Amino acid sequence: MGRGGGVEPATAMDPDTMLETPPRTPQGGFLAMNAVSCGDIAVTPGAVEFKGVQPDLIYVMPLTIRNRGKSMCRVRILPPKTSFFTLNYVPSGSVAPGLAVTAEVEFRMSEGDGSTPKFHDRIVVVTGKEKCEVPLLATVPAPFVSFDGVLDLGLCLENQPVTKVVQLDNTGTQPANWRIEVDEGVNITFHPSSGVLIPAHQHQDLNGDGKVELHEQIHGGAQSHENVTVTLTATEQGPVRALARVICEGQVPQMLDISANVVDQKLELSFPDKETGKPGEGGQVGKVDFGTTLYGNEMTIVAVLANHSPQPTPFFISSEIDRSSIESMHSAIGNEMGEHGVGLNVKVMGTVE
């Protein structure tokens, strides 16, 4: 066991940086990183954090030290230097190949230490000329609301609302009182726009032995997350971008980056290319020329109807005979067509997706 005085900063891994941006873990109050190695020895976990620590309780995390080499290894562990962390380890001399020894790291603070937001120390594992550091960290209870900070609404139509859902999760160790704010004049709403989230996981002394161990945790369930519906109603075409602030008491405000591209609901009828004859490559035209044909024959021109909006659009196409043009045509050809005239019947209905 090791206790002492003073705080010595870790050199291999800055614990302050780890506390600001901790890796996500389902363990709630205990954070275990991947193994670190020194020579043939692997230490698991490679860093330990106790989250949401309470006064006068002992928090315990096991360490595994495994020999991955082919020969015996002698292992020494240098204990923490602060009085808050304790190493429980019985030296076993050398470790045989493939085998492992275990140790425990404990953390405990008193009632008067609660004003300190975080504690850090380290242990050092030494084998031969090799050594590795395992940072030890502990933080007092605090909320932490996590979410995906980028929300892309994609293509949307002018003056038509578009919605997406953002999930908020409290991965901290205290209830989170949260709210979402956005600048005035931005046509974006949130439902709900505020609420309270309980922690997703909390470690407690469930068996009353005065120790909080890895398996002693309770789950927040559905009350630890919230689905927020974000609605945008854009009044102008073009790109839209807004920054919403997610504010939680006891946590630095975070930003939700919202973007969209507002377009017009537009259908385009394209005709064949005059040279290649490929449908849709001739673009839009103001006049369709069927050319010359014999009486009683049928001519067909295939056009492509494209929907340039992000939503399925119903459409209806109809036509009327231009009688003045037909009468002029009759006069030009000496009324050779008699009373048969020209038959034109176009009527199309459907939905373009």
Side-chain angles (χ1 to χ4, degrees), residues 1-11 77-88 105-108 119-126 131 133-137:
M1 299 179 66
R3 290 184 180 269
V7 176
E8 181 178 344
T11 56
I77 305 179
L78 306 183
K81 295 187 176 182
T82 66
S83 60
F84 301 105
F85 295 92
T86 302
L87 174 68
N88 294 328
V105 174
E106 294 184 356
F107 174 85
R108 181 175 183 176
F119 308 82
H120 61 83
D121 205 324
R122 63 176 179 174
I123 61 173
V124 180
V125 179
V126 181
K131 67 178 182 179
E133 297 178 358
V134 179
L136 311 178
L137 305 103

Side-chain angles (χ1 to χ4, degrees), residues 22 93 165 170 185 270 341:
V165 173
N170 183 8
S270 301

Side-chain angles (χ1 to χ4, degrees), residues 50-319:
F50 301 104
K51 299 173 63 177
V53 293
Q54 301 285 348
D56 300 323
L57 283 176
I58 300 175
Y59 293 80
V60 183
M61 171 69 79
L63 289 175
T64 301
I65 303 167
R66 185 174 300 277
N67 183 0
R68 299 186 300 185
K70 298 181 179 179
S71 59
M72 301 284 287
C73 285
R74 184 175 178 84
V75 176
R76 292 188 301 130
I77 305 179
L78 306 183
K81 295 187 176 182
T82 66
S83 60
F84 301 105
F85 295 92
T86 302
L87 174 68
N88 294 328
Y89 173 64
V90 178
S92 58
S94 299
V95 182
L99 297 184
V101 295
T102 59
E104 287 184 344
V105 174
E106 294 184 356
F107 174 85
R108 181 175 183 176
M109 70 174 186
S110 62
E111 190 70 36
D113 299 319
S115 59
T116 303
K118 55 188 175 182
F119 308 82
H120 61 83
D121 205 324
R122 63 176 179 174
I123 61 173
V124 180
V125 179
V126 181
T127 173
K129 297 182 179 181
E130 304 284 345
K131 67 178 182 179
C132 60
E133 297 178 358
V134 179
L136 311 178
L137 305 103
T139 57
V140 298
F144 189 87
V145 176
S146 61
F147 57 93
D148 188 346
V150 177
L151 179 63
D152 185 4
L153 297 175
L155 294 176
C156 56
L157 296 178
E158 186 178 0
N159 296 318
Q160 292 194 19
V162 59
T163 64
K164 272 193 175 181
V165 173
V166 175
Q167 180 171 312
L168 306 181
D169 294 281
N170 183 8
T171 57
T173 52
Q174 262 191 339
N177 292 284
W178 64 272
R179 67 183 187 275
I180 302 180
E181 297 179 352
V182 69
D183 293 337
E184 294 184 4
V186 180
N187 295 325
I188 298 177
T189 60
F190 304 91
H191 182 76
S193 59
S194 62
V196 178
L197 297 175
I198 67 173
H201 302 275
Q202 284 183 296
H203 279 80
Q204 296 183 0
D205 181 17
L206 299 181
N207 57 12
D209 63 353
K211 291 186 177 182
V212 181
E213 298 178 286
L214 190 62
H215 64 277
E216 294 181 293
Q217 64 174 329
I218 58 175
H219 301 274
Q223 293 181 314
S224 65
H225 63 264
E226 182 75 69
N227 289 327
V228 178
T229 301
V230 182
T231 302
L232 167 68
T233 305
T235 57
E236 296 181 359
Q237 297 183 33
V240 174
R241 186 179 181 188
L243 293 176
R245 297 174 294 278
V246 180
I247 301 173
C248 175
E249 298 177 9
Q251 180 184 349
V252 177
Q254 301 179 84
M255 306 305 292
L256 174 61
D257 190 340
I258 305 171
S259 61
N261 189 15
V262 184
V263 298
D264 187 20
Q265 191 167 15
K266 181 181 178 182
L267 297 178
E268 181 180 274
L269 188 64
S270 301
F271 289 86
D273 185 89
K274 293 182 178 180
E275 297 182 0
T276 64
K278 293 183 178 180
E281 294 188 357
Q284 300 184 76
V285 297
K287 179 180 179 180
V288 181
D289 186 4
F290 281 86
T292 303
T293 185
L294 298 176
Y295 171 73
N297 287 351
E298 181 181 285
M299 296 190 68
T300 301
I301 294 179
V302 178
V304 176
L305 182 63
N307 180 9
H308 295 290
S309 65
Q311 299 178 3
T313 303
F315 70 93
F316 177 81
I317 301 176
S318 63
S319 66

